[in-house]
Each structure stands twice: as structure tokens, then as C-alpha cells.
Amino acid sequence: MKTDLPQSFRRLEYRPPNYTFGQVELDIALDPARTIVKSRLQVLPGKSYETGAPLVLQGQELEFVSLRINGDAHRHFELTPETLSIYSLPNDGKDPFVVEIICICVPEKNTSLMGLYVSNGNFFTQCEAEGFRKITYFLDRPDVMAKFRVTLQARETECPVLLANGNLLSTEKLPNGWHSAVWEDPFPKPSYLFALVAGKLDCIEETITTGSGARKLLQIWVEPHDLKKTRHAMDSLIASIRWDERRYGLELDLERFMIVAVSDFNMGAMENKGLNIFNTKYVLAQPETATDIDFANIESVVAHEYFHNWTGNRVTCQDWFQLSLKEGLTVFRDQEFSADQMGTQSGRAVKRIEDVRTLRQLQFPEDAGPMAHPIRPDEYQEINNFYTVTVYEKGAEVVRMYQTLLGVEGFRKGMDLYFKRHDGQAVTCDDFLAAMADANHCDLTQFKNWYSQAGTPRIKVEERYDAPQNQYHLTLSQSIAPSPSQSEKQPFHIPLKVRLLTPADDQVEQLLELKAEKQTWTFDNINERPVLSLNRNFSAPIRLDFSQSEADLLALFSSDDDAFNRWESGQKLAMQMILENRLPDAELIAAYRDILLDPELDPAFKELALTLPAETYLYEQCTSVDPQQIFKSRRAFRRALASSLRLEWAALYQQMQTPDGFKPDAISAGKRALKNLALSMLLDADALIWAPMAVNQYQNADNMTDRYAALAGLVIHGVNAAKECLEDFYQRFAGDALVLDKWFALQSSRPPVDGAEQTLTDVYRLREHVAFKMNNPNRVRSVIHAFCMNNPASFHQADGSGYAFWAEAVLALDPINPQVAARLARALDRWRLFAQPYQGKMHAYLEEVAANKTLSADVREVITKALGN
């Protein structure tokens, strides 16, 4: 079916603004039902100034009150639901002038959680990408950078804390129980980095001294009852500040740095200059309520948002097409930080594997689907839909390839030049590439293709060993499939780390640069046929088309010195057998046993090596997916692995105990991960025999990692004790929203035991639960997204019942929060990949959603692209 699409924005049509701002002064009187915003804007001619051009400001869901220019009332304007256009400007706008606007917004009715809104009685903002226009009329675009001075006013009993970007200048008591605070940000910033927070909050604070000797105040603000859960976030912030000084010479540039946690938030966190606003999920942690994964995620997200202080704030994006300029670069920086925090080389390898798993399970499917786009898109209709794993995770891989090509020192030179050239500017991905190239005196022209072409390159591998000449010949060919709006592709510049493994072990790792469609390399003095270890440490985000023998894969799995490729070879062996509906053979079982028993291997690596490829990743290896067959084959493979190694699993369960109290360090977390994998495998081998041990662990655990793992094992395996333990879990943690999210998500993501229909029945029941809130993104993700996007075997049913639930949920969510609804809408965007009857059912429900006339622009873009209309 054909539909009318909203306006498209195109990168090549970028034009600098007619006007820009110098100083911005905001006076905001906070009231849930009627917030009055007074803005005073110093307006200057912009780079694209044209004589007599109107000043067109963006504004949404605002009540306009008045307009003054240079102090006088001004009536030459036009209002629409999206804009305020001001005409008859002083001297045709050639000279600076001052615009004063008064408008009103209603935070308590703002369920989109964009702009200014209320959560649990407190005020918060989210302005990226286009939320500031819901606060006041403004040039709401990233290339308009101005200095902000903000006065906040509120009733002191309701909002004793008043926070905004920058440095606190003054506070004042006002009549009628009101008070005010004046904040000033000394650095120019775009409106998307504006933030304010007001309410009943308390903080933990630390004062640190930076490398230059400056004293800095660090604060983490939360609701008072959560204060005891902030220590790990503060430690992560301090570690991030220290790391950025050491690694890149970048120092905290404000007198204070603040983090605020809120439970109603669309994203993970937001890097507003000096006032980061976080989803509580990525701030609050203590052993009793947070898992090892939660602790690691908090460390990573705190680092990510802090690193944006330079890569995103001090140097920002010219336009939203350049989003990966800040996000891809900053994801790479937080990945490197987290890897360094692991403390060992094997720990770094574990972090690398985890990052690649995320990329493959989430980004590779996006690259192959209707929403495929380059890391720098050429066109969008709704920018919120482009906060994607492609922009973030693939963007980080592109940045990593710079470091692979240039080396760590060369990459640092490029970063230094980037900041020297562009501090305080709004720039492009081309500017970043130019800094890297110029600092290292190299030609990166072809590397630009990573920014402009969608899709994951496929590398065909051909190898030939010439025994008489003692030569090994390696031929690599690259290709990339057509994607939406891109039928023809140019060759990429692909860095590939390679090593030939030989019995003599005399070959060193080399870096090959694949630039042509097809290239051949010859290796001399190779006395025996080697085993090829290619794309080591996942040096490029590619798919390998390589029919490597199972014998070679077993050799790599047993002895490759590159930890990533060792893990990768085991994944390939398991994947091949599962897709061929085979059980693990004796040789593979022996290889698994050797890894489990190897005293030199990190427990975290063992856990990853014995974790099978995800169902959704297996889907991507098929041309026609039968989700139920893949689920059954994978489950049978896992049960065989569990049964064959049950003695080893039982021994590991005892060996990996951590009796000295909970510590969130990498070594302890690795032991817990391996121990809990062992428990899950023992339940797979014989749930009745091992269930009492799981119940014992659940009842006696001193930390959430172990308690939740035991509960998950009982629930997933359908053990009778699961119901009683679920009820106990709810009663224990009924007052903790984040822990309840886990309780909801576990039930929604439970794979089929006695029948998939049972899980769907549970999900409908959970939606009616007194603690479920459709306007809270975390709770929606823990129930609806968990079922539709994280439970493929239960969601993909031949009768289409899961898809009917999806359609109902998308339509119910869209009027409340279009961003959250659009994320959910993507659950069916790969419908063409599936066999019948799944494909037909998915298409029918996509059409049903598309037929709704009131869809938001966010959801309509996703559905329309999925249908190919």
C-alpha cells in the first residue's frame, strides 16, 4: 500500500542557518501545569544570511504569549504548530538584535519525555535530538551554538534543588515560598545539550584534583532513598575522568560535573554539558539489587556520557547526519576504557568479544534489512529513528579501524589535531577523517566509503598452499549487497589482521589492507600447510565467506593465540552443527572439555566460549528462517553439551564459588558468570536432579547476580519451584523499580517449555499487573519489548498470535511515546527473511498497523520502510 510520508531531510541539502545566536538568557518559572518560559536571544546574521530573510524558530506544543524585538512589542510574525516566523527585522537582520519571547508549556502532560516533563513530581529535560523546541521557540539545530545563562524559579517546598548546565552563579529566596538559582555555561553549546533538573533530590559528592591542579566538584543526584546505590557510579565517573586525562590529555573543563538519575527516560543517558541526565538503570547499583552486568553497564554508560564532554560537546555535529561523529567515536572510547578496566589482556579480549556479539546480533541484521543506512545517513524523515546500532556500534568499529590502520600513537596524533582544529565548533565526519589523515600524512580517501555506504561487506577467502615452493597464497575478494537507495557500491578500505598458524609457530601477525575488489598475497618460507587465522580481534566489521574445514576450526578453537578468533572458531563450529540439525560430535565435546579444564584461561572467556550463538544470529545465516526448527535444534545441541560435560559442570559450579563477599571486579564477575552457566547447563542436563541446588542458591545468595541467575534457571526450565521463587522475588523487591523490571523481563522472555502460548498468556497477564505502567519506558521494555524482541521462539508462532500482540502494543504505545513505539515497530522489519507461514502473518500485521491514520512520524517511517512502500 502507498502512504503519504512526512518530510524527508537530505544531507546534501544542508545549508548553514540564516541567523545564529550569541547570548541566550532563559528565565523559567517551573509549574507542572503551566511552566512560563521567558527567553532573551541575541540574534546575529548567520553564514547563509540573505537580506530580509525571516527569523524562523522551531516550537512544538507551546502556548505563545508575546514577542518583543529590541524591547518593543513586535506583531509581524506567523505562528504554525511547528514554527514561529518573524518578519520585518531591524535593518533587515543585517545587524545584531534582541528577541524576547514568552511562552508556556505543560510538563505534566508531556508523555513523550522529550523537552520538559515531570517524573515522580520532579522536573527533567531531554532535548536531543529535537526536544528543546518543546520548551521554547528556538533555532533548534546543532550548528547554532550559543552561551546560555539560565534562571530557574520554583516553589521551594516542591523543588528545593534547582540544577542547570555549567556553573552556579547565585541563589535567591523569592516571595510566596518560591526561590531561584542562576546557572551559566561558559562554553557555547547547541540547544540539544541544554538541561535543567528541579525537585526533591539528594546527592553524593566528591572533590577531585585534575592533572593541572584544578579542583573539581562531582555530584550524583538521585531521589533520597536511592542515595546508597550511587557509589559505583561515582567511582566509575572518577575513573573515567582519570582515564581521559591519561589516554587523550583531556581534562574536565567545568567547576563541577553533575549526574542526575530519573526513572522515566527514553534512552540510557544524555550528555548535556556538565549536567548528565541518566536512566536510573545506569546509575543505581548495590550487590543486593544489581547484577554484574548492571555494574558493568553503569561503568560503561557513565564513561560514555563523560567522554562526550569533549567528543560531542566541545566539538559537536554540524547536522544530525553527522551523529556518528560523536556517537561512534564516543562508543569506541567507552569500549577502550572498559577494556582497560578489565585489568588483563584476557580481560580485554572478553570485552572485545562482548562488543562484537552485540554488533552481530543487532547491527548486522539492521545492515541487511529495510532500515539499513550508512553510519552517516543521506536522508531521514524522523531523526529519532536514527539513534541506531549502525550509528553507534558500527560507527565505533569504523573509528577502531582508524586505530588499527594508524596504530595507537597515530590515532592519538589524529585526535590531538582534531581538537586543535575544531574545539568549539560544529563539524562533520569529513573533518574527523581529515584530521586523522593529516596528522599521519596518509591517504584515507577510500576509507570515506565506510561513511557513505550501507551494508556489511562480505569477504570471500580463497587459499592455496604450494608445497614445492613453500608458499601460501591468500586471495580475498570483497562484495557488498545492494541496500535501500544504494544499488551499486564501491570497494571499501578494509584492515585485516592475519596470522598463519604453523607447527613451527614461526609466523607473526600481519596487517593486510584490502582495497581492491580482489587482491592476492603470497607468503614465503611456509614449510607446512598453515591454518589461517583471519580478521583477528575482529579488525574489521565484515562477514567472512570462508569454507574453513571443521578440522581447521577445531585447531583454532584449541590453540589460536588470538582470543577473539579462538572464540570465533568455536562459534562457527556450533553454528554449522545447529543449522544442520546435528549434535556436537566427540571431537567438539573434547575441545569444549579442554577449554573448561584449562587452568590458564580466564573464567569469563570460558563462559563466552561455551555460550552458543544466539537464535537471532543464527537467523542471519539462513535464506529462509524456520524459527521453531532453529530453536529446537539449538536446544537439543545445548542439552547434549550439558549432558556430555555434566561432571565438569558440577565440578566448575563448586570451583567458581566466591565466598568472600560480593566484589564487582572483572575476576569475580567472570567466576560468577561461569558458575551460573554451569548451573544452567546442569538444569539442562536434568532439571529434577539439579533444581534443589538452584533453589538453594536462590534462597542463600548474597548478591543479585547469583539470586537472579538461579531464579532464571528455575523459570526457564519450568521447574515446579519457579512459581514460589517468583512470588518470593516479587515480595522481596516490590519497592525497587529496577529489580521489578528484571522480574517482569524474566517472565516475558521465557522461551517455550510446555508451549509458547503460555508465555504470551503470561505477557498479557503482566500487562494488567498493578505495577505495569505503559508510560514508563523501562517497564514497557521489560514486558513488551522483552517478549517481541528478546524471546524469538515464543514470539514467532505459526498462528501469528505474537504478531497480533505486537500490532496491538505498537498502536497503544504510539500516542503515549512515539520513540518507544518506533523501537518496538522494528521487531518485524526483517519479515522477508522468514519462511511461510510466518512471513505472511508478519506482513498482514504490518499492513494492519500501516492502515492506522494517526501514526506518529516515528512509527510510520519504520513501518513504511519495512513494507517497502
Side-chain angles (χ1 to χ4, degrees):
M1 64 177 290
K2 297 292 183 183
T3 58
D4 294 327
L5 289 176
Q7 177 185 1
S8 288
F9 300 89
R10 296 175 178 84
R11 181 173 62 86
L12 296 181
E13 294 177 359
Y14 167 79
R15 187 172 178 269
N18 285 320
Y19 297 95
T20 188
F21 295 150
Q23 182 73 30
V24 172
E25 296 180 13
L26 300 175
D27 190 317
I28 304 175
L30 294 162
D31 184 279
R34 187 178 173 82
T35 289
I36 301 173
V37 181
K38 301 176 182 178
S39 63
R40 187 177 188 275
L41 314 173
Q42 181 189 36
V43 185
L44 312 169
K47 292 181 179 179
S48 293
Y49 170 76
E50 295 178 355
T51 302
L55 173 62
V56 181
L57 307 178
Q58 290 78 42
Q60 291 179 0
E61 301 172 18
L62 300 174
E63 178 187 337
F64 174 82
V65 177
S66 68
L67 167 67
R68 303 176 74 87
I69 294 184
N70 290 340
D72 297 325
H74 194 82
R75 294 178 176 82
H76 301 283
F77 63 87
E78 180 183 0
L79 268 177
T80 74
E82 302 285 334
T83 59
L84 168 61
S85 299
I86 307 173
Y87 301 92
S88 301
L89 302 174
N91 198 22
D92 286 333
K94 296 176 183 177
D95 302 321
F97 58 96
V98 174
V99 171
E100 295 174 87
I101 300 170
I102 300 177
C103 63
I104 295 169
C105 60
V106 185
E108 68 182 7
K109 291 186 178 180
N110 184 5
T111 62
S112 72
L113 309 184
M114 291 293 292
L116 177 64
Y117 65 94
V118 174
S119 172
N120 198 23
N122 299 321
F123 292 88
F124 299 91
T125 56
Q126 170 57 31
C127 293
E128 188 176 359
E130 297 176 339
F132 191 76
R133 63 190 64 187
K134 290 190 173 187
I135 299 174
T136 187
Y137 294 97
F138 206 79
L139 283 171
D140 191 14
R141 46 189 288 171
D143 57 351
V144 175
M145 301 177 70
K147 291 186 177 181
F148 282 68
R149 184 186 180 102
V150 179
T151 301
L152 301 179
Q153 302 177 46
R155 298 177 185 86
E156 189 167 11
T157 56
E158 297 175 7
C159 296
V161 174
L162 300 173
L163 307 176
N165 308 85
N167 300 318
L168 178 63
L169 298 186
S170 65
T171 60
E172 183 180 0
K173 299 283 187 179
L174 301 175
N176 300 317
W178 284 60
H179 71 139
S180 69
V182 181
W183 293 80
E184 184 173 68
D185 188 343
F187 297 98
K189 65 173 179 285
S191 56
Y192 84 85
L193 291 173
F194 170 83
L196 73 81
V197 172
K200 296 177 180 177
L201 302 168
D202 204 347
C203 76
I204 178 177
E205 62 182 36
E206 295 273 346
T207 300
I208 65 167
T209 302
T210 62
S212 67
R215 301 274 287 173
K216 307 290 183 178
L217 176 64
L218 310 179
Q219 296 177 319
I220 297 180
W221 293 89
V222 296
E223 293 186 23
H225 62 270
D226 286 327
L227 202 60
K228 61 184 179 295
K229 301 178 184 178
T230 56
R231 186 67 248 174
H232 180 66
M234 177 63 80
D235 291 341
S236 299
L237 176 59
I238 294 171
S240 305
I241 294 170
R242 300 298 188 209
W243 185 88
D244 220 17
E245 286 186 5
R246 291 193 307 271
R247 183 73 174 263
Y248 293 109
L250 301 174
E251 192 171 292
L252 175 57
D253 55 0
L254 291 167
E255 294 173 2
R256 71 174 69 195
F257 190 91
M258 299 172 284
I259 289 173
V260 183
V262 56
S263 58
D264 294 299
F265 204 66
N266 286 338
M267 305 181 186
M270 177 61 209
E271 73 267 18
N272 320 293
K273 182 68 177 178
L275 179 58
N276 289 183
I277 300 179
F278 274 61
N279 191 317
T280 50
K281 182 177 181 179
Y282 297 107
V283 171
L284 306 180
Q286 58 183 3
E288 296 79 16
T289 59
T291 65
D292 287 321
I293 292 174
D294 294 327
F295 277 92
N297 286 341
I298 289 169
E299 179 182 81
S300 173
V301 176
V302 167
H304 181 95
E305 304 309 329
Y306 174 74
F307 296 153
H308 266 314
N309 190 54
W310 283 89
T311 50
N313 296 4
R314 287 286 288 260
V315 184
T316 194
C317 301
Q318 170 190 277
D319 53 62
W320 290 121
F321 296 101
Q322 318 297 329
L323 182 58
S324 196
L325 174 73
K326 73 182 184 78
E327 295 300 349
L329 175 55
T330 305
V331 169
F332 167 74
R333 277 156 48 71
D334 82 55
Q335 288 176 350
E336 285 291 281
F337 164 78
S338 295
D340 283 348
Q341 296 302 105
M342 299 293 283
T344 63
Q345 279 302 114
S346 60
R348 285 187 63 88
V350 167
K351 173 60 179 165
R352 184 67 182 132
I353 292 167
E354 290 172 344
D355 292 337
V356 174
R357 287 173 67 190
T358 299
L359 184 82
R360 285 176 165 174
Q361 291 174 28
L362 300 178
Q363 195 279 322
F364 277 21
E366 184 168 272
D367 244 353
M371 289 291 288
H373 58 276
I375 65 168
R376 180 175 62 185
D378 290 319
E379 181 178 352
Y380 66 80
Q381 292 151 17
E382 175 48 63
I383 184 56
N384 291 327
N385 286 334
F386 280 84
Y387 283 76
T388 62
V389 284
T390 294
V391 165
Y392 281 68
E393 307 301 329
K394 186 176 182 179
E397 294 300 318
V398 171
V399 173
R400 186 177 295 276
M401 285 190 288
Y402 282 111
Q403 182 166 282
T404 300
L405 287 166
L406 304 175
V408 173
E409 291 185 7
F411 184 79
R412 170 65 190 269
K413 289 179 183 177
M415 290 284 283
D416 290 346
L417 183 58
Y418 176 63
F419 293 120
K420 181 178 179 181
R421 285 179 173 176
H422 302 299
D423 188 12
Q425 298 177 13
V427 301
T428 69
C429 296
D430 291 332
D431 293 319
F432 183 79
L433 183 142
M436 287 290 159
D438 294 347
N440 290 278
H441 308 289
C442 64
D443 183 1
L444 292 174
T445 303
Q446 189 178 345
F447 196 78
K448 289 183 179 181
N449 290 338
W450 285 104
Y451 289 96
S452 60
Q453 297 184 155
T456 306
R458 281 192 173 273
I459 308 301
K460 182 179 180 181
V461 182
E462 300 172 85
E463 57 178 348
R464 181 173 63 86
Y465 178 61
D466 186 344
Q469 299 296 321
N470 289 342
Q471 288 182 330
Y472 175 81
H473 304 278
L474 176 63
T475 299
L476 302 178
S477 308
Q478 61 169 300
S479 63
I480 186 164
S483 54
S485 303
Q486 289 186 331
S487 57
E488 296 184 6
K489 309 289 179 71
Q490 298 300 312
F492 287 94
H493 181 178
I494 303 175
L496 293 166
K497 291 183 178 180
V498 60
R499 185 178 178 219
L500 304 182
L501 303 185
T502 64
D505 199 30
D506 55 356
Q507 300 299 310
V508 298
E509 181 178 273
Q510 300 183 46
L511 179 64
L512 309 182
E513 297 186 37
L514 175 61
K515 294 184 176 181
E517 289 186 7
K518 188 174 185 177
Q519 286 177 242
T520 297
W521 289 265
T522 298
F523 300 81
D524 296 317
N525 301 315
I526 309 298
N527 297 321
E528 295 185 55
R529 189 190 77 83
V531 175
L532 176 63
S533 177
L534 180 63
N535 202 29
R536 291 159 66 83
N537 202 42
F538 203 70
S539 54
I542 61 170
R543 296 176 185 265
L544 283 177
D545 183 2
F546 186 18
S547 299
Q548 205 162 14
S549 70
E550 290 191 0
D552 281 0
L553 289 173
L554 273 170
L556 293 168
F557 192 38
S558 299
S559 59
D560 197 334
D561 64 319
D562 181 79
F564 175 84
N565 267 11
R566 187 173 188 183
W567 168 82
E568 169 82 316
S569 58
Q571 294 290 291
K572 286 181 178 178
L573 284 165
M575 181 177 66
Q576 290 175 190
M577 293 182 180
I578 292 170
L579 292 177
E580 294 170 4
N581 201 23
R582 296 159 52 197
L583 298 179
D585 59 24
E587 288 182 306
L588 182 56
I589 291 292
Y592 280 134
R593 180 179 287 109
D594 289 343
I595 283 179
L596 285 178
L597 298 179
D598 189 336
E600 301 299 319
L601 290 177
D602 191 309
F605 177 81
K606 293 182 181 183
E607 190 267 339
L608 287 171
L610 274 293
T611 298
L612 301 181
E615 288 168 65
T616 50
Y617 182 62
L618 293 170
Y619 293 176
E620 297 303 312
Q621 319 310 314
C622 305
T623 56
S624 181
V625 173
D626 183 337
Q628 294 304 314
Q629 179 56 49
I630 287 176
F631 169 72
K632 292 173 183 175
S633 181
R634 184 181 182 276
R635 182 173 60 179
F637 187 98
R638 193 176 193 272
R639 285 178 172 172
L641 187 60
S643 296
S644 299
L645 298 173
R646 58 188 179 280
L647 296 179
E648 287 79 8
W649 292 124
L652 276 171
Y653 182 80
Q654 298 301 327
Q655 294 166 11
M656 293 297 114
Q657 299 294 325
T658 50
D660 297 329
F662 180 87
K663 297 176 183 177
D665 61 275
I667 293 175
S668 300
K671 288 182 177 180
R672 282 188 290 271
L674 184 55
K675 175 190 69 179
N676 288 320
L677 175 65
L679 176 60
S680 179
M681 284 291 192
L682 289 169
L683 289 168
D684 253 341
D686 195 321
L688 289 178
I689 290 178
W690 298 102
M693 189 167 73
V695 172
N696 181 68
Q697 177 172 311
Y698 171 81
Q699 293 173 340
N700 296 299
D702 66 351
N703 63 84
M704 179 55 70
T705 302
D706 287 343
R707 191 183 304 279
Y708 185 79
L711 179 64
L714 294 169
V715 170
I716 288 170
H717 292 89
V719 176
N720 288 336
K723 184 175 181 180
E724 180 181 341
C725 290
L726 273 171
E727 179 61 28
D728 175 79
F729 191 88
Y730 181 82
Q731 295 301 327
R732 282 177 187 256
F733 302 107
D736 191 310
L738 293 177
V739 181
L740 279 193
D741 286 337
K742 300 179 191 299
W743 182 82
F744 278 106
L746 175 57
Q747 296 171 82
S748 297
S749 57
R750 178 177 65 86
V753 179
D754 299 321
E757 67 280 353
Q758 180 59 49
T759 301
L760 182 55
T761 300
D762 288 344
V763 173
Y764 275 113
R765 174 179 52 81
L766 292 171
R767 271 192 58 175
E768 301 303 317
H769 194 280
V770 65
F772 179 81
K773 297 178 181 179
M774 196 66 125
N775 61 356
N776 177 261
N778 284 355
R779 195 54 46 89
V780 169
R781 285 187 282 260
S782 70
V783 175
I784 299 174
H785 289 64
F787 175 73
C788 297
M789 307 183 85
N790 300 331
N791 190 355
S794 294
F795 179 59
H796 293 294
Q797 290 296 308
D799 64 0
S801 54
Y803 311 144
F805 172 82
W806 166 87
E808 175 191 337
V810 169
L811 294 174
L813 274 169
D814 194 31
I816 299 170
N817 192 321
Q819 269 195 63
V820 176
R823 297 281 177 177
L824 178 63
R826 298 194 58 181
L828 296 192
D829 66 5
R830 298 299 310 283
W831 61 277
R832 288 181 175 87
L833 183 63
F834 288 77
Q836 295 291 6
Y838 309 98
Q839 184 182 113
K841 297 285 187 182
M842 282 191 245
H843 182 264
Y845 283 106
L846 281 164
E847 292 278 12
E848 179 179 307
V849 172
N852 188 286
K853 301 299 183 184
T854 62
L855 287 181
S856 67
D858 306 58
V859 171
R860 185 162 298 284
E861 180 178 18
V862 172
I863 297 297
T864 302
K865 287 185 174 180
L867 287 169
N869 295 335

